[in-house]
Every structure is written in C-alpha cells, then in structure tokens.
Amino acid sequence: MTAPINRIINYSAVNGPGTRSVLIFQGCNFRCLYCHVPDTLGNCNGCGVCAYHCPVGALRPDAPGIIPQWLEEKCIDCGACINACRKDSSPRIRRMSIKDVLDHIMEHRRHIRGITCSGGECTLYAEFMIDLFPVIRRQGLSCLIETNGTLDFEKYRELLDCCDGVMLDIKAADPLRHMELTGRGNEEVFHSAQVLARMGKLTEVRTVVTMADFGARETVEKTARILRPYLRKNDILYRLIPFRVYGVRREYRNLGTPSRKVLEELRDLALSAGFTKALIS
Ligand code: SF4
Ligand code: SF4
C-alpha cells in the first residue's frame, strides 16, 4: 500500500507534544480560505505546466496525464512549480510505502518523540495509517492525527486503537459560515468531536481566528457545550490560532490577524466555558 506524501517535516515543535516528524499527506476534502499549505489541497492531473516554470530543469515532463519526474538533486526549492500549478498540487509529491516512511522516520528516530499525520487531510488515507501506526509504535514512537473531522471515526475504531491522540480543527460553529470558509458543512465535524472525546482520543481542538467574522465566540461556546461531559476528565486543550498570512493564497491574505485582546477574550471564554486548558499560539 502507498499514499501520496507532499513532504515530511523532520522536526516540528508545533504539531503535538515534543519534537515530532510530520507527514504531510496530499489531498483535502475542504477548501479553507486561510489554508497555509494550499499545494496540499488538490491532486495532480499531470498537465506538465510546472515543468516549464522550473528554472533549473528539475522537472522532467513525462507523458500527458503523468506527474512530471522530479529530480530532487537538481531542485533549488524555489517554489515556482507550486506557484504555477492550477490544481493546488505539487510535482514533488512522492507515493510512499509503509517501509519508505519507516526508513525515513528511523533516520530521525533519536531526536523525535513521535510522528504526526497531517495534510491536506490525512484521514483520507485512514487505511494507510492503520497499517503505519503499529509499525511506528513498535519503535517506541507515538502517533498523532491532525484532522478536519470528516472521517466517520465510529467506523474506524481500528485507527483509534492504534493512535495516541487526535487534534481536531473546528473552523466555525455556524453551518453557513463553515460552508463559506471551507466549502463544506460542519455536522460531521461536531459529530467527530463527540465520538473522539467519548473514546478518550481527543487531545486538542483548534480554531483559526481571523478579523473576518466567522463567529469565533460562537464556535468556542458550541464546542465547549458539546464536549462538556469530557472536558475535565480528558483534559482537552483548546488552541486558538491567530490567522497568519504566510503561505496563504494571494486572494485570501486580507482575512486579517485579530488583536491580542480579541484572542485573550476567546481564551478566557474557553476557560470559563469549561476547558481546563486553553492557549493562543
Ligand atoms: S503539479 Fe500541477 S502543474 Fe504540475 S503537472 Fe501536476 S497539476 Fe500540472
Ligand atoms: S521548487 Fe524545485 S522543482 Fe519546483 S520549480 Fe523550483 S527548482 Fe523546480
């Protein structure tokens, strides 16, 4: 079995506790306006356009419909291919097997506490993770998931059994605002929040806060209401993430970063609504 991996960040301190290697899976079923890794959203159709924009000939076009061959040793990491792509994809994606991932992770084994599967939306590759996690855990490493919550986790208990925790993005409480922000409704997201909390796997919820009003107060309140029975018992963290312009597509860069005061009010709201831990980062 293989999965398309956009890249692996060898060392990250912001994708779960401790230093972790992060697998960025390719493809997402949301289209969040503020996505800071938009080259992970789509799937390459092999148009070959990127190859003509590469300044150093690191992309070799193959047949139409086939992703260009990426000559990694020539690549200067300029990003021109990603800017040229109209499919929100990248020609540098690699299809990796469980062994490929394990071999890569083992090169960094001594310096990490575990891995985090992210994206894109990593749960589009739930079967891959079900095979991967036991292999990684046998090395004494923990396995976490970052997700938009669209997977029906009740049907994937096997995945939860072999993962150490799930960090869930909750983008907006209001279904229309959620649709405007992501292109999809939020019913399954709140359902996942409850399922994950009930199974003791929800470690963290996250909301990106923008100046553009997507109802952050309402989102914090609704999330706390839905998770109330589990908040103390499971010690779930609420992370409020200020919008950052870095990586965001040009047309959405004006969503605006909220003031520290706004973020602190939301953090205090989360704490007063029952979360035992809330932070801004
Ligand atoms: S990465 Fe984008 S531009 Fe390059 S071949 Fe694939 S779809 Fe075309
Ligand atoms: S990032 Fe690498 S492959 Fe892409 S255009 Fe630049 S040199 Fe070429």
Side-chain angles (χ1 to χ4, degrees), residues 49 60 77 81 91 111 113 116 128 140 145 173 213:
V49 166
R60 189 175 291 160
D77 202 23
C81 50
H111 308 291
R113 193 192 291 188
T116 299
F128 185 86
I145 292 172
D213 187 8

Side-chain angles (χ1 to χ4, degrees), residues 43-51 66-68 81 84-87 89-91:
N43 294 310
C44 171
N45 66 0
C47 69
V49 166
C50 53
I66 309 267
I67 188 166
C81 50
C85 180
R86 293 291 162 259
K87 295 291 287 182
S89 189
S90 162

Side-chain angles (χ1 to χ4, degrees), residues 68 142 276:
S142 60
T276 52

Side-chain angles (χ1 to χ4, degrees), residues 3-69:
I5 305 292
N6 181 292
R7 61 189 178 278
I8 298 178
I9 301 167
N10 293 328
Y11 306 112
S12 166
V14 296
N15 297 82
T19 303
R20 317 188 66 81
S21 291
V22 184
L23 274 67
I24 308 289
F25 286 74
Q26 185 67 25
C28 189
N29 50 3
F30 276 10
R31 286 292 179 274
C32 299
L33 303 183
Y34 48 52
C35 181
H36 65 282
V37 282
D39 62 304
T40 67
L41 295 175
N43 294 310
C44 171
N45 66 0
C47 69
V49 166
C50 53
Y52 296 100
H53 286 77
C54 178
V56 293
L59 295 170
R60 189 175 291 160
D62 212 326
I66 309 267
I67 188 166
Q69 193 186 343

Side-chain angles (χ1 to χ4, degrees), residues 208-212 241-245 252-259:
V208 174
V209 188
T210 65
M211 291 271 280
I241 304 172
F243 169 79
R244 295 181 181 96
V245 83
Y252 304 120
R253 287 181 192 161
N254 61 354
L255 289 172
T257 305
S259 67

